[in-house]
Amino acid sequence: MSNSKSKRFRFAPSPTGYLHIGGARTCLFSWLYAQKIGAEFILRIEDTDLERSKKEYLDEILESIKWLGMDWDEIFYQSKRFDIYHSYAEKLISEGKACKKEGAVFFKYDFERVEINDLVRGKIVFTELPKDEEVIIKSDGSPTYNFSCVIDDALMGISCVIRGEDHISNTPKQILMYEALKLSIPEFAHVPLILSASGGRMSKRYGATSLREYKQMGYFSEAITNYLLLLGWSPGNNREIISLGEAQDIFDIKNVNKTGAVFSLDKLNWINGEYIRSKSINELTRIIKAYLEQRSCLPQDVDMSYLEKICRLFQERISKLSDLVDWTRFCFYDDFKYGEGTEKILSNDLSKEISFLSERLREIDNFDKEQIENKFRKAAGDLDLKLRVLVHPTRVALTGRKDGPGLFETMELLGKEKVLKRLNRLIQHWLSQA
Ligand code: GLU
């Protein structure tokens, strides 16, 4: 264990579901620590449950790990290693430590007390086990988790098992199996679970739990890894924005918190927003184009310089790319409806005033935000109205929404022709209601 190259870490997902946000963090901690000390990192696919394991899940797990910026030195599939598990089970049977009953193999625990020195939690002592025997090979020939996990961690030379704290109760059983099999016992580091705001395990009830969903919502991989890092670890000095590269130098599994970390979507949104704001307009435009295109939210042949302007308008305001799907519809299409919460604004018929404003705006030659603002203020003054009395219905007319980016910038973006057309549409709406 003295030479880092001989140290090996692993992440052992079961492909029975998409990569959970908690699994992603466990993987991240294990991978990061391996990078930090120059050790090897192994993926072990725990696909022993042949019914529930699906290729679709496996593909997604591997893709998500890569998307987050991690990689692996070797990959193993437990489904291809049944012979190995069987031979170890036979060995236990021949030594009288296991027995066959109704086609399954049972391991008999020889238990008094087990103690581990967990790298995260310190000393943990186990003084009782719920059962005195346990199935290690099921009657269909597949191994159970505890058994295949022990054999593989030993044969794959894993120096420290980094995994979720939900596996603490399995650890004494596994240690008894290592001892029975005369295999060397690795170190353990059990990282606390990610909790939902209500204190329980993060579950679907409280929002998205799979990494895939966050990816689809347009969170950046760097923002997710950054946030996952902060869930249970801190780079110190109140720092909150940290890249994977930097974290590699300073991360230490021993500094991971013992207590569960509460998942906060607000915090993730803030971090993601920081990454959005740190992008150059060029890069962000490309990203946004791809994102909206993929969701069929862009008309064909959309002009890049127009997209760039949209990007400037929204960069400060969004926390994730999916915000743009609804927010930017008005930028590309004229046929939007007046949306939620606009009823109150629309109930006040200002057709005369908006017509007046419209005529003033028509006079502008160079339709930029300064000129627009000047004319707008002037029109409000002439009508003896507070600015906002005109601002609210104008925004609804132009965007279909009651809130959004700066109105004058929005008007500049749309251009005079569209602005006048949309103001007229609202006037017609009022007239038809009258
Ligand atoms: N396949 C197990 C899980 O996903 C792995 C547990 C372990 O790391 O030992 O929970």
Side-chain angles (χ1 to χ4, degrees):
M1 297 269 299
S2 52
N3 175 358
S4 294
K5 270 292 160 211
S6 67
K7 288 205 176 190
R8 285 155 70 90
F9 295 83
R10 51 70 158 184
F11 176 57
S14 306
T16 52
Y18 297 116
L19 185 60
H20 188 274
I21 196 102
R25 194 203 38 172
T26 303
C27 182
L28 184 66
F29 281 2
S30 190
W31 178 83
L32 207 54
Y33 198 46
Q35 305 309 304
K36 156 91 187 272
I37 67 171
E40 282 175 345
F41 181 68
I42 286 169
L43 274 192
R44 183 170 73 232
I45 307 304
E46 303 210 321
D47 53 355
T48 55
D49 187 332
L50 303 175
E51 292 248 303
R52 288 174 57 227
S53 298
K54 298 256 170 341
K55 178 157 187 321
E56 181 196 345
Y57 295 136
L58 171 67
D59 291 344
E60 185 276 335
I61 291 170
L62 300 183
E63 205 190 291
S64 288
I65 292 173
K66 284 189 258 176
W67 181 68
L68 288 176
M70 298 181 272
D71 52 7
W72 52 88
D73 297 300
E74 285 175 67
I75 182 166
F76 295 95
Y77 295 86
Q78 288 192 322
S79 58
K80 299 194 179 130
R81 299 167 60 81
F82 280 18
D83 287 351
I84 300 175
Y85 312 130
H86 291 169
S87 71
Y88 278 92
E90 287 304 327
K91 188 164 171 274
L92 289 177
I93 293 172
S94 70
E95 290 171 1
K97 295 171 182 166
C99 64
K100 222 168 189 164
K101 283 190 263 182
E102 292 166 20
V105 181
F106 284 74
F107 174 71
K108 292 178 256 175
Y109 290 119
D110 181 10
F111 181 76
E112 271 179 33
R113 179 192 137 93
V114 169
E115 191 178 308
I116 60 166
N117 216 342
D118 193 276
L119 292 186
V120 172
R121 309 188 47 112
K123 187 159 114 177
I124 310 176
V125 180
F126 303 90
T127 52
E128 56 183 320
L129 278 190
K131 291 186 259 178
D132 54 10
E133 62 172 12
E134 182 143 332
V135 177
I136 52 173
I137 303 282
K138 295 190 213 163
S139 53
D140 67 3
S142 61
T144 55
Y145 157 70
N146 280 315
F147 191 56
S148 49
C149 178
V150 162
I151 292 171
D152 283 347
D153 280 335
L155 297 188
M156 293 170 191
I158 303 304
S159 31
C160 177
V161 169
I162 296 176
R163 64 183 168 202
E165 130 191 308
D166 47 333
H167 286 289
I168 287 187
S169 61
N170 286 317
T171 310
K173 301 180 206 168
Q174 294 185 2
I175 288 185
L176 295 174
M177 291 185 194
Y178 281 107
E179 286 171 349
L181 292 162
K182 299 193 184 67
L183 295 170
S184 68
I185 303 173
E187 288 191 286
F188 292 94
H190 286 96
V191 301
L193 299 181
I194 300 180
L195 307 173
S196 61
S198 66
R201 265 184 100 139
M202 231 183 121
S203 73
K204 286 247 168 277
R205 267 177 59 196
Y206 301 102
T209 52
S210 74
L211 203 78
R212 185 169 166 266
E213 292 166 273
Y214 287 93
K215 183 177 173 184
Q216 284 166 355
M217 284 188 274
Y219 288 95
F220 290 157
S221 60
E222 312 98 280
I224 294 185
T225 50
N226 190 147
Y227 181 57
L228 289 179
L229 273 176
L230 299 184
L231 284 175
W233 178 75
S234 159
N237 298 330
N238 289 327
R239 263 189 84 180
E240 302 207 280
I241 299 298
I242 182 162
S243 70
L244 260 194
E246 286 175 283
Q248 274 179 35
D249 295 334
I250 54 174
F251 180 78
D252 192 328
I253 194 72
K254 297 184 192 83
N255 295 340
V256 168
N257 293 338
K258 289 185 188 49
T259 46
V262 175
F263 184 87
S264 153
L265 194 59
D266 286 343
K267 185 72 178 271
L268 174 61
N269 283 340
W270 176 77
I271 290 180
N272 203 61
E274 288 291 294
Y275 279 88
I276 287 178
R277 289 183 279 283
S278 75
K279 299 255 183 255
S280 71
I281 286 292
N282 242 323
E283 191 185 359
L284 191 61
T285 305
R286 269 194 299 106
I287 294 172
I288 286 177
K289 180 165 188 275
Y291 187 86
L292 291 177
E293 237 160 32
Q294 232 178 33
R295 282 153 188 81
S296 309
C297 297
L298 280 190
Q300 296 214 314
D301 316 320
V302 60
D303 188 62
M304 266 324 251
S305 68
Y306 184 62
L307 260 184
E308 225 175 86
K309 284 186 194 146
I310 293 174
C311 219
R312 279 183 212 283
L313 202 57
F314 286 97
Q315 185 172 28
E316 294 292 325
R317 277 161 222 279
I318 54 168
S319 56
K320 54 190 184 299
L321 301 180
S322 59
D323 293 342
L324 292 170
V325 170
D326 289 336
W327 281 87
T328 61
R329 226 190 105 72
F330 79 88
C331 303
F332 307 114
Y333 301 98
D334 295 318
D335 62 347
F336 56 82
K337 294 204 168 59
Y338 299 138
E340 225 174 279
T342 59
E343 304 80 2
K344 191 154 173 267
I345 298 168
L346 296 180
S347 67
N348 184 15
D349 182 340
L350 289 176
S351 43
K352 287 208 182 67
E353 292 78 357
I354 293 293
S355 297
F356 179 82
L357 170 70
S358 207
E359 287 320 308
R360 286 300 155 88
L361 293 170
R362 194 186 295 280
E363 294 162 8
I364 304 176
D365 287 329
N366 190 10
F367 206 71
D368 64 22
K369 74 171 199 269
E370 282 81 26
Q371 304 269 356
I372 295 168
E373 181 165 0
N374 285 342
K375 281 281 181 196
F376 208 101
R377 289 187 181 281
K378 181 94 183 14
D382 291 349
L383 290 165
D384 203 15
L385 290 175
K386 289 217 170 72
L387 194 66
R388 64 180 160 77
V389 178
L390 289 183
V391 163
H392 293 313
T394 302
R395 187 191 300 286
V396 175
L398 301 185
T399 70
R401 304 176 61 102
K402 67 176 172 41
D403 46 18
L407 182 63
F408 306 126
E409 284 102 317
T410 303
M411 293 170 86
E412 178 182 324
L413 174 85
L414 289 171
K416 185 156 123 182
E417 194 190 331
K418 276 212 160 94
V419 166
L420 296 181
K421 242 189 180 152
R422 290 182 186 185
L423 287 176
N424 189 46
R425 180 179 160 206
L426 178 57
I427 294 167
Q428 296 310 317
H429 167 87
W430 275 320
L431 295 179
S432 73
Q433 308 271 301

